[in-house]
Amino acid sequence: MANDVSTVTALYASVRTDTGEQTVVCAVCTMAGAVDQRQFLERLRGLVQRNPRFRSVLKKEQGSPGKPDRVSWEELDAAAVNWDNHLSTCELDGPFSSEGMYRCVEREMEAGVSRAHPLFRVLYVRGQASAPTDETALCFLFDHCLGDGVSLMRSCLSVFDNPEQIEFPTLRAGTGGGKKPFGLAGLARTVLRLPRLLAVGVTGSLHAVLFGVLPADPDNIYKLKDINQTAVHKDVSGARGQSLAELSAFKNKFSGLTLNDVLVAVLVRTLQTYAQTHNAPLPRKNLRAFVPISLRAANDDDVENKWVIVPLPLPVTKREWLPLLREVKNACDDLKASPEGFIMMKNLGLAVQKLDTKKLCDTVLQVVGKVSVNFTNVPGPVQQVSMAGVPVKRMQFFMATCAGTVFAVTSYNGQVYATGCTDPACAIDTAALMKCWEQECNALLQFGEGRPNVNPHWPLWQDARYWLYLLVAVLLWFVVACVSF
């Protein structure tokens, strides 16, 4: 494995705020009973032996004046790994509970992962004087420099029972709920979408080439006023699992809609509902979320950061489900068609090579501080998995960054689990926020009840922009016709 780091890893290694320098990722597996610690340790030893990245430390060499620091991996011998630095146990004051587990996760994420050692730790959470059949939890904590969510999730699961039989969903960008109706309406959409795609490509390219061009979101409760003062401690909570089959059935009723579109729509409604119930109205203007675009091939399991983040508009001015879903679908389709992710990655690579560490850190923080939330979606196994014969009941994914509000969604064994991680400066009740997520998932499914299981057209006449594009097209045709004659 090469010692050079990826562009995103170099960025994470260089970014430092006034209060800390880490983005911590935490994958939590809630177990149906007690886990054999000796057997678990042996499997972790096997992971460290077969994957050099899990026995490597991140080294930074001071760059010359005006030049960036050089970041590289230094591989250690597997026998040199001190497991006292990587394994710990948290015993709750009472019986095991999700709330107690969340408090342990908060403390461990605040403590971070030491970069003097390989960049992972594992926390075993159990209740006080718990019985063998009581729930426990395995919490895998990583410095995000180690890898992205996909590779870290799969590395965690490689220590579970029968890892070669664990299946993950196949992700195909842009797939929807069946065959799209075309005809005259579809042809009109294709033609009318061309000016929109051109505009999206131009603005996305400008955002990617010139970081400062990205305008800042208006002030709101989810956005930090000063991202450089982000707190090390974060508040975390999770929502109850939602049926993946029910969400997929809802998605299949609408032409071209993807499951990710549905989840983004639920996110928007969650932000609206929490703001309304806590007397903190949102501005009458779209907000944005940073979302990751994977640069990873389908069967690529290398432990590395292979992604880039881009801003996704969140239409918080839309409340009714149908207009909201249409807006979200358009925004997600625009993101897939835009070259922004590709250009952003190339430009970040140049920034890592050319800017000194302080300028690079300031630039990245400036950009991250302009959006309201971060949103990530990490696919988990499609079937139930187990550790030493003990089944995993739930699987959740947390991410603590310098942003004010972070949502993470994970699929596991036919369920979709969402978590929230917020900065105390935003004064958000994270548990109440995740209750709003549950409420909006239920509202979404109720909205879909009784609707025919078909793919209706997205009504062309209900979107004013289509009429605007049509008017522009007619005027252009008229001008060309006049010039021709």
Side-chain angles (χ1 to χ4, degrees):
M1 184 177 292
N3 289 330
D4 293 336
V5 302
S6 71
T7 297
V8 176
T9 300
L11 286 173
Y12 275 129
S14 64
V15 171
R16 181 178 181 85
T17 66
D18 292 348
T19 55
E21 61 179 4
Q22 282 189 315
T23 294
V24 180
V25 173
C26 182
V28 176
C29 300
T30 302
M31 313 299 295
V35 175
D36 186 330
Q37 295 295 286
R38 186 173 300 176
Q39 188 172 353
F40 178 61
L41 176 58
E42 287 304 311
R43 296 189 183 188
L44 280 180
R45 291 184 190 275
L47 171 63
V48 169
Q49 288 173 353
R50 67 178 175 268
N51 195 321
R53 187 52 48 83
F54 281 86
R55 59 176 187 267
S56 299
V57 294
L58 199 64
K59 291 293 185 181
K60 291 176 67 174
E61 299 177 9
Q62 185 76 33
S64 56
K67 297 293 183 180
D69 294 343
R70 186 178 183 276
V71 184
S72 61
W73 292 106
E74 180 181 324
E75 185 178 327
L76 305 178
D77 187 88
V81 175
N82 184 352
W83 286 99
D84 290 339
N85 298 319
H86 299 280
L87 291 175
S88 59
T89 299
C90 175
E91 186 171 289
L92 304 181
D93 293 335
F96 181 91
S97 66
S98 294
E99 288 304 315
M101 182 265 290
Y102 294 149
R103 303 294 81 79
C104 286
V105 170
E106 289 175 351
R107 290 193 295 270
E108 295 300 314
M109 293 178 80
E110 181 176 357
V113 180
S114 172
R115 289 182 178 174
H117 311 289
L119 305 183
F120 73 95
R121 291 197 297 114
V122 182
L123 175 70
Y124 182 54
V125 182
R126 65 188 180 194
Q128 190 177 50
S130 58
T133 55
D134 290 345
E135 288 186 353
T136 60
L138 289 172
C139 306
F140 299 81
L141 291 101
F142 306 96
D143 186 320
H144 215 329
C145 287
L146 185 61
D148 54 34
V150 173
S151 62
L152 295 179
M153 172 71 79
R154 299 190 179 194
S155 297
C156 290
L157 293 168
S158 69
V159 303
F160 283 70
D161 297 342
N162 305 314
E164 68 282 352
Q165 298 178 11
I166 296 177
E167 298 179 12
F168 294 89
T170 302
L171 301 180
R172 298 186 297 273
T175 57
K179 186 177 179 180
K180 295 182 182 180
F182 197 71
L184 293 178
L187 178 62
R189 283 188 195 86
T190 302
V191 173
L192 295 176
R193 191 166 172 76
L194 293 178
R196 179 184 177 90
L197 292 180
L198 179 62
V200 168
V202 171
T203 55
S205 300
L206 285 175
H207 292 164
V209 173
L210 303 171
F211 295 120
V213 169
L214 185 68
D217 279 0
D219 288 342
N220 61 84
I221 59 172
Y222 304 109
K223 178 174 173 282
L224 283 174
K225 296 187 183 300
D226 182 2
I227 197 167
N228 200 51
Q229 299 296 327
T230 178
V232 177
H233 175 82
K234 303 293 183 181
D235 299 325
V236 306
S237 189
R240 290 196 304 267
Q242 300 290 330
S243 169
L244 179 60
E246 292 181 357
L247 292 173
S248 297
F250 176 89
K251 175 260 300 184
N252 289 337
K253 296 180 179 182
F254 298 90
S255 173
L257 206 63
T258 68
L259 183 59
N260 197 63
D261 297 338
V262 173
L263 295 175
V264 173
V266 172
L267 169 65
V268 173
R269 289 269 299 211
T270 299
L271 298 177
Q272 294 170 335
T273 301
Y274 180 87
Q276 290 173 0
T277 55
H278 289 75
N279 197 27
L282 296 176
R284 298 187 62 82
K285 180 181 178 182
N286 284 354
L287 304 181
R288 279 163 310 173
F290 265 138
V291 296
I293 293 182
S294 177
L295 305 176
R296 184 178 293 274
N299 297 319
D300 183 0
D301 291 333
D302 284 349
V303 181
E304 187 55 273
N305 281 295
K306 296 184 179 181
W307 58 276
V308 65
I309 58 172
V310 292
L312 173 69
L314 300 178
V316 294
T317 58
K318 303 289 185 182
R319 181 65 182 174
E320 297 300 321
W321 279 113
L322 198 57
L324 174 60
L325 287 166
R326 189 183 305 116
E327 285 291 320
V328 166
K329 179 185 181 303
N330 284 336
C332 291
D333 287 349
D334 290 345
L335 197 63
K336 295 169 190 172
S338 172
E340 186 169 358
F342 174 78
I343 298 175
M344 177 77 82
M345 197 65 187
K346 295 298 182 183
N347 199 40
L348 287 175
L350 290 175
V352 168
Q353 296 173 18
K354 302 298 183 183
L355 295 180
D356 65 59
T357 302
K358 185 179 185 309
K359 289 182 180 178
L360 181 62
C361 174
D362 292 343
T363 301
V364 173
L365 287 176
Q366 176 196 7
V367 174
V368 174
K370 290 183 175 184
V371 303
S372 299
V373 301
N374 285 9
F375 180 73
T376 187
N377 185 357
V378 180
V382 299
Q383 80 273 46
Q384 188 174 63
V385 298
S386 60
M387 163 59 69
V390 181
V392 176
K393 296 182 67 174
R394 296 181 296 279
M395 196 171 289
Q396 296 168 297
F397 197 83
F398 298 87
M399 188 168 67
T401 72
C402 52
T405 307
V406 180
F407 285 85
V409 177
T410 308
S411 59
Y412 168 66
N413 190 30
Q415 296 287 307
V416 176
Y417 297 96
T419 64
C421 182
T422 64
D423 194 286
C426 293
I428 292 175
D429 183 342
T430 315
L433 182 66
M434 300 320 296
K435 290 293 183 183
C436 291
W437 174 279
E438 296 175 6
Q439 174 185 331
E440 293 307 327
C441 281
N442 294 332
L444 175 90
L445 297 177
Q446 289 177 5
F447 171 73
E449 288 180 0
R451 301 186 73 88
N453 191 16
V454 297
N455 291 303
H457 292 272
W458 293 93
L460 204 61
W461 54 88
Q462 291 186 13
D463 196 332
R465 285 172 305 185
Y466 285 127
W467 288 106
L468 176 62
Y469 295 155
L470 180 61
L471 178 61
V472 171
V474 171
L475 290 176
L476 286 175
W477 175 83
F478 180 74
V479 170
V480 171
C482 290
V483 171
S484 300
F485 284 106

